[in-house]
Amino acid sequence: MLRKPLFSLLRPLAILLVAAAPGIGQAQGAASLDELLEQTRTARAREAQQNQARINQFQQERNRRAQMLSEAQAELTRENSRANALSAQFDANEKKLTELQAALDAKLGNLGEMFGVVRQVAGDFASVAYNSMVSAQYPERETFARKLSESKALASIEDLERLWFEMQREMTESGRVTKFSTKVINLEGQEQDTAVVRLGGFTASSEDGFLTYLPGEREFAVLSRQPASRFVSPNVDLLDETSGYHRATLDPTRGTLLSVLVQTPKLGEQIKFGGLVGYLILAVGAIGLIMAAVRFIALSAVSAKVNSQRKDTSNASEGNPLGRVLAVYYKDPNVDQETLQLRLDEAVLKEIPALESWLPAIKMIAAVGPLMGLLGTVTGMILTFQQITLFGTGDPKIMADGISQALVTTVMGLVVAIPMVLIHAYLAGRSKNIVQILDEEAAGLIAEHAEKQHGRTA
């Protein structure tokens, strides 16, 4: 009678125990209190076993952590000792370095100033090597000198010896004529390997003419415009020479005079400066030269025929002036003296216009040339003053065209006039010589005729 109420009282307690123990909840529901009690006892034993395992694990981890802490503390102690030792060593090294630096400074003395001079000299030589055309043959020396001048460390013996060697080589190459092959920029802007003749450090040339040195590229380039051939030819011929003394063109200013020389206007450019008036002067001068040449040929032929006729006066030829004068005499040899003299004078006068033809035109050209030059001078000055009015006098190049025209046309007028005056004088002299021969022969005929008449009268 009492078991059932007791069971009723213990059942809620069992339910609480099952809910509190997860392992118990997984078991099958107990059919009786004994079974429930057994399950509870088993769960408690298993839980106690698990708890003991956890405790053992926690104790092992605690012991391991304690050991690690002990090791870390021991390592910290060792490192602190090492740090103190290193600090003491550092202080000792600092003191020793200070002492050594003081000893080094004391031993160096003026050596530091010497290396300062070395760096300064290296910098100066780097500038010389940069602008020297010798660097086209030895391009690495400028880089070496530049690094040495910028170095903060003391130069080594090898660096000092090389600096001396490079300076000595610059002096040696400045007095040497050298032929070598290097890259040259041609007129098309392309690089090509070309044989180059270098006259010291002053002038370089190739088969295309004079070269200019480009310091930035350490290469040569052909001048876009070459001077007269009399300057270029001797240097080009040096490419085929191997020894001996030879003529050559050298620019002691290292290219300055050559650059000015190539800018000098050539003959064609100077003619262009004369403008329209200059071309007219040249045209008139050319016409005068053609007329003078034709007149010279004609007078030479007439003079040759007259001289030939003079050697044989008995056979008069109508193909020359003297022959025609002689023919007048031989047509009527018995005429009286006065009539003969008049006929011969008339024959000589007829020949004079042909002998003196074109001479007045040549003389006129000689007089017109300076006048046309003066005309060009005036028009050039007018152009100059117009440019001054428009642009002022700030830039002399603006007035250069007008001044060039004024001066060039004056020169052209004189260049045309002076030869024309000389040519006219020469041709007029030759014409007068022929006329004089005709007069002499006519006078001789009159005298011969007078002697014949005197002999007849006697």
Side-chain angles (χ1 to χ4, degrees), residues 174-190:
S174 297
R176 177 181 296 174
V177 178
T178 306
K179 181 170 68 174
F180 62 99
S181 180
T182 185
K183 291 187 179 297
V184 176
I185 302 176
N186 56 23
L187 295 177
E188 288 76 20
Q190 300 176 351

PDB file of all heavy atoms in Angstrom, residues 174-190:
ATOM      1  N   SER A 174      95.198  65.343 -79.148  1.00  0.00           N
ATOM      2  CA  SER A 174      94.993  66.690 -79.688  1.00  0.00           C
ATOM      3  C   SER A 174      96.050  67.071 -80.708  1.00  0.00           C
ATOM      4  O   SER A 174      95.844  68.001 -81.491  1.00  0.00           O
ATOM      5  CB  SER A 174      94.984  67.721 -78.542  1.00  0.00           C
ATOM      6  OG  SER A 174      93.904  67.484 -77.669  1.00  0.00           O
ATOM      7  N   GLY A 175      97.165  66.383 -80.707  1.00  0.00           N
ATOM      8  CA  GLY A 175      98.214  66.669 -81.678  1.00  0.00           C
ATOM      9  C   GLY A 175      98.432  65.553 -82.668  1.00  0.00           C
ATOM     10  O   GLY A 175      99.501  65.480 -83.286  1.00  0.00           O
ATOM     11  N   ARG A 176      97.461  64.685 -82.843  1.00  0.00           N
ATOM     12  CA  ARG A 176      97.635  63.516 -83.696  1.00  0.00           C
ATOM     13  C   ARG A 176      96.555  63.492 -84.781  1.00  0.00           C
ATOM     14  O   ARG A 176      95.405  63.847 -84.536  1.00  0.00           O
ATOM     15  CB  ARG A 176      97.568  62.250 -82.862  1.00  0.00           C
ATOM     16  CG  ARG A 176      97.674  60.959 -83.657  1.00  0.00           C
ATOM     17  CD  ARG A 176      97.579  59.754 -82.749  1.00  0.00           C
ATOM     18  NE  ARG A 176      98.708  59.696 -81.809  1.00  0.00           N
ATOM     19  CZ  ARG A 176      98.801  58.811 -80.838  1.00  0.00           C
ATOM     20  NH1 ARG A 176      97.827  57.927 -80.660  1.00  0.00           N
ATOM     21  NH2 ARG A 176      99.850  58.817 -80.029  1.00  0.00           N
ATOM     22  N   VAL A 177      96.954  63.070 -85.973  1.00  0.00           N
ATOM     23  CA  VAL A 177      96.011  62.842 -87.071  1.00  0.00           C
ATOM     24  C   VAL A 177      95.656  61.356 -87.053  1.00  0.00           C
ATOM     25  O   VAL A 177      96.526  60.504 -87.224  1.00  0.00           O
ATOM     26  CB  VAL A 177      96.608  63.244 -88.428  1.00  0.00           C
ATOM     27  CG1 VAL A 177      95.629  62.950 -89.553  1.00  0.00           C
ATOM     28  CG2 VAL A 177      96.988  64.717 -88.423  1.00  0.00           C
ATOM     29  N   THR A 178      94.379  61.058 -86.829  1.00  0.00           N
ATOM     30  CA  THR A 178      93.938  59.687 -86.625  1.00  0.00           C
ATOM     31  C   THR A 178      92.818  59.341 -87.593  1.00  0.00           C
ATOM     32  O   THR A 178      91.919  60.158 -87.825  1.00  0.00           O
ATOM     33  CB  THR A 178      93.441  59.486 -85.187  1.00  0.00           C
ATOM     34  OG1 THR A 178      94.461  59.895 -84.272  1.00  0.00           O
ATOM     35  CG2 THR A 178      93.098  58.036 -84.921  1.00  0.00           C
ATOM     36  N   LYS A 179      92.880  58.147 -88.122  1.00  0.00           N
ATOM     37  CA  LYS A 179      91.799  57.622 -88.962  1.00  0.00           C
ATOM     38  C   LYS A 179      91.187  56.425 -88.253  1.00  0.00           C
ATOM     39  O   LYS A 179      91.888  55.486 -87.884  1.00  0.00           O
ATOM     40  CB  LYS A 179      92.329  57.230 -90.340  1.00  0.00           C
ATOM     41  CG  LYS A 179      91.233  56.708 -91.271  1.00  0.00           C
ATOM     42  CD  LYS A 179      91.733  56.562 -92.697  1.00  0.00           C
ATOM     43  CE  LYS A 179      92.758  55.472 -92.808  1.00  0.00           C
ATOM     44  NZ  LYS A 179      93.146  55.219 -94.215  1.00  0.00           N
ATOM     45  N   PHE A 180      89.871  56.447 -88.051  1.00  0.00           N
ATOM     46  CA  PHE A 180      89.183  55.358 -87.376  1.00  0.00           C
ATOM     47  C   PHE A 180      87.761  55.268 -87.923  1.00  0.00           C
ATOM     48  O   PHE A 180      87.299  56.143 -88.651  1.00  0.00           O
ATOM     49  CB  PHE A 180      89.157  55.578 -85.851  1.00  0.00           C
ATOM     50  CG  PHE A 180      88.432  56.816 -85.426  1.00  0.00           C
ATOM     51  CD1 PHE A 180      87.118  56.763 -84.981  1.00  0.00           C
ATOM     52  CD2 PHE A 180      89.061  58.058 -85.467  1.00  0.00           C
ATOM     53  CE1 PHE A 180      86.449  57.908 -84.593  1.00  0.00           C
ATOM     54  CE2 PHE A 180      88.408  59.212 -85.080  1.00  0.00           C
ATOM     55  CZ  PHE A 180      87.091  59.128 -84.646  1.00  0.00           C
ATOM     56  N   SER A 181      87.088  54.200 -87.569  1.00  0.00           N
ATOM     57  CA  SER A 181      85.724  53.963 -88.031  1.00  0.00           C
ATOM     58  C   SER A 181      84.763  54.152 -86.866  1.00  0.00           C
ATOM     59  O   SER A 181      84.984  53.627 -85.771  1.00  0.00           O
ATOM     60  CB  SER A 181      85.578  52.553 -88.606  1.00  0.00           C
ATOM     61  OG  SER A 181      84.244  52.326 -89.044  1.00  0.00           O
ATOM     62  N   THR A 182      83.713  54.898 -87.099  1.00  0.00           N
ATOM     63  CA  THR A 182      82.720  55.173 -86.059  1.00  0.00           C
ATOM     64  C   THR A 182      81.377  55.436 -86.716  1.00  0.00           C
ATOM     65  O   THR A 182      81.277  55.539 -87.946  1.00  0.00           O
ATOM     66  CB  THR A 182      83.147  56.380 -85.199  1.00  0.00           C
ATOM     67  OG1 THR A 182      82.208  56.546 -84.131  1.00  0.00           O
ATOM     68  CG2 THR A 182      83.170  57.646 -86.025  1.00  0.00           C
ATOM     69  N   LYS A 183      80.340  55.559 -85.913  1.00  0.00           N
ATOM     70  CA  LYS A 183      79.005  55.831 -86.436  1.00  0.00           C
ATOM     71  C   LYS A 183      78.882  57.322 -86.756  1.00  0.00           C
ATOM     72  O   LYS A 183      79.222  58.172 -85.942  1.00  0.00           O
ATOM     73  CB  LYS A 183      77.931  55.413 -85.436  1.00  0.00           C
ATOM     74  CG  LYS A 183      77.827  53.912 -85.247  1.00  0.00           C
ATOM     75  CD  LYS A 183      76.647  53.544 -84.377  1.00  0.00           C
ATOM     76  CE  LYS A 183      76.533  52.038 -84.218  1.00  0.00           C
ATOM     77  NZ  LYS A 183      76.292  51.374 -85.514  1.00  0.00           N
ATOM     78  N   VAL A 184      78.358  57.608 -87.943  1.00  0.00           N
ATOM     79  CA  VAL A 184      78.177  58.982 -88.415  1.00  0.00           C
ATOM     80  C   VAL A 184      76.739  59.134 -88.898  1.00  0.00           C
ATOM     81  O   VAL A 184      76.218  58.264 -89.610  1.00  0.00           O
ATOM     82  CB  VAL A 184      79.164  59.317 -89.556  1.00  0.00           C
ATOM     83  CG1 VAL A 184      78.909  60.714 -90.101  1.00  0.00           C
ATOM     84  CG2 VAL A 184      80.594  59.206 -89.064  1.00  0.00           C
ATOM     85  N   ILE A 185      76.104  60.226 -88.514  1.00  0.00           N
ATOM     86  CA  ILE A 185      74.740  60.518 -88.956  1.00  0.00           C
ATOM     87  C   ILE A 185      74.833  61.231 -90.300  1.00  0.00           C
ATOM     88  O   ILE A 185      75.381  62.332 -90.393  1.00  0.00           O
ATOM     89  CB  ILE A 185      73.996  61.377 -87.925  1.00  0.00           C
ATOM     90  CG1 ILE A 185      73.966  60.660 -86.569  1.00  0.00           C
ATOM     91  CG2 ILE A 185      72.588  61.683 -88.390  1.00  0.00           C
ATOM     92  CD1 ILE A 185      73.338  61.476 -85.459  1.00  0.00           C
ATOM     93  N   ASN A 186      74.301  60.599 -91.352  1.00  0.00           N
ATOM     94  CA  ASN A 186      74.384  61.183 -92.684  1.00  0.00           C
ATOM     95  C   ASN A 186      73.305  62.241 -92.875  1.00  0.00           C
ATOM     96  O   ASN A 186      72.542  62.569 -91.959  1.00  0.00           O
ATOM     97  CB  ASN A 186      74.283  60.095 -93.755  1.00  0.00           C
ATOM     98  CG  ASN A 186      73.018  59.264 -93.611  1.00  0.00           C
ATOM     99  OD1 ASN A 186      72.034  59.703 -93.029  1.00  0.00           O
ATOM    100  ND2 ASN A 186      73.043  58.052 -94.144  1.00  0.00           N
ATOM    101  N   LEU A 187      73.222  62.773 -94.096  1.00  0.00           N
ATOM    102  CA  LEU A 187      72.266  63.851 -94.383  1.00  0.00           C
ATOM    103  C   LEU A 187      70.821  63.374 -94.313  1.00  0.00           C
ATOM    104  O   LEU A 187      69.911  64.200 -94.160  1.00  0.00           O
ATOM    105  CB  LEU A 187      72.560  64.436 -95.769  1.00  0.00           C
ATOM    106  CG  LEU A 187      73.921  65.138 -95.918  1.00  0.00           C
ATOM    107  CD1 LEU A 187      74.115  65.616 -97.346  1.00  0.00           C
ATOM    108  CD2 LEU A 187      74.027  66.307 -94.948  1.00  0.00           C
ATOM    109  N   GLU A 188      70.609  62.066 -94.438  1.00  0.00           N
ATOM    110  CA  GLU A 188      69.245  61.526 -94.324  1.00  0.00           C
ATOM    111  C   GLU A 188      68.861  61.244 -92.880  1.00  0.00           C
ATOM    112  O   GLU A 188      67.760  60.769 -92.612  1.00  0.00           O
ATOM    113  CB  GLU A 188      69.120  60.232 -95.140  1.00  0.00           C
ATOM    114  CG  GLU A 188      69.107  60.438 -96.647  1.00  0.00           C
ATOM    115  CD  GLU A 188      70.482  60.740 -97.189  1.00  0.00           C
ATOM    116  OE1 GLU A 188      71.474  60.416 -96.484  1.00  0.00           O
ATOM    117  OE2 GLU A 188      70.592  61.302 -98.305  1.00  0.00           O
ATOM    118  N   GLY A 189      69.744  61.512 -91.932  1.00  0.00           N
ATOM    119  CA  GLY A 189      69.457  61.281 -90.520  1.00  0.00           C
ATOM    120  C   GLY A 189      69.656  59.853 -90.074  1.00  0.00           C
ATOM    121  O   GLY A 189      69.201  59.481 -88.982  1.00  0.00           O
ATOM    122  N   GLN A 190      70.347  59.042 -90.867  1.00  0.00           N
ATOM    123  CA  GLN A 190      70.580  57.646 -90.520  1.00  0.00           C
ATOM    124  C   GLN A 190      72.024  57.443 -90.066  1.00  0.00           C
ATOM    125  O   GLN A 190      72.941  58.097 -90.570  1.00  0.00           O
ATOM    126  CB  GLN A 190      70.282  56.744 -91.720  1.00  0.00           C
ATOM    127  CG  GLN A 190      68.841  56.836 -92.218  1.00  0.00           C
ATOM    128  CD  GLN A 190      68.615  56.005 -93.458  1.00  0.00           C
ATOM    129  OE1 GLN A 190      69.556  55.487 -94.049  1.00  0.00           O
ATOM    130  NE2 GLN A 190      67.353  55.883 -93.859  1.00  0.00           N
TER     131      GLN A 190
END
